[in-house]
Amino acid sequence: MDTIPGTAVDEPYATMPAPATVRIERILPGPVERVWTYLTESDKRRQWFAAGPMELRPGGSVALTFRNDDLSAEKRHSDGNGHCSGDGVDHRMNGVIVRCEPPRLLV
């Protein structure tokens, strides 16, 4: 696996195992059940990544809304209206769940 080009990390936290596929792997403190809730529940996930609904089943939809300014006390990217950039648009990504085996696997 290759690390993602242009990233500033020295370790391969994010890799591209195939075209149009990103794998993010982290070791997190706490029991797996708590980590699972911070990955799958929108209100908890927005505290560290992106908010949005997630249908926890194979074929289920995922809609992530990124608001980078919500992740930091520094508001350097804000347009003053809560948007993460000056274009006035929330940045969204849609996807589909391939595999879901709570609380250990989400693809």
Side-chain angles (χ1 to χ4, degrees), residues 68-86:
N68 296 343
D69 273 354
D70 289 350
L71 303 177
S72 173
E74 259 183 72
K75 302 297 182 192
R76 58 187 174 156
H77 299 291
S78 178
D79 65 357
N81 295 311
H83 300 106
C84 66
S85 64

Side-chain angles (χ1 to χ4, degrees), residues 5-77:
T7 62
V9 294
D10 294 332
E11 300 180 51
Y13 291 120
T15 57
M16 293 183 71
T21 302
V22 176
R23 177 183 177 145
I24 301 170
E25 188 172 344
R26 296 284 195 278
I27 296 175
L28 302 170
V32 67
E33 294 82 9
R34 183 173 62 204
V35 173
W36 183 259
T37 65
Y38 274 85
L39 179 63
T40 60
E41 294 179 16
S42 179
D43 286 343
K44 291 182 179 176
R45 187 178 350 95
R46 71 183 280 274
Q47 296 175 37
W48 66 274
F49 187 56
M54 185 179 284
E55 297 175 339
L56 295 175
R57 61 176 176 77
S61 66
V62 177
L64 300 175
T65 301
F66 295 86
R67 295 187 181 109
N68 296 343
D69 273 354
D70 289 350
L71 303 177
S72 173
E74 259 183 72
K75 302 297 182 192
R76 58 187 174 156
H77 299 291

Side-chain angles (χ1 to χ4, degrees), residues 90-106:
D90 289 334
H91 296 275
R92 294 188 166 89
M93 182 183 85
N94 296 312
V96 176
I97 294 189
V98 177
R99 290 177 62 192
C100 183
E101 299 172 15
R104 299 197 180 271
L105 180 69
L106 184 63

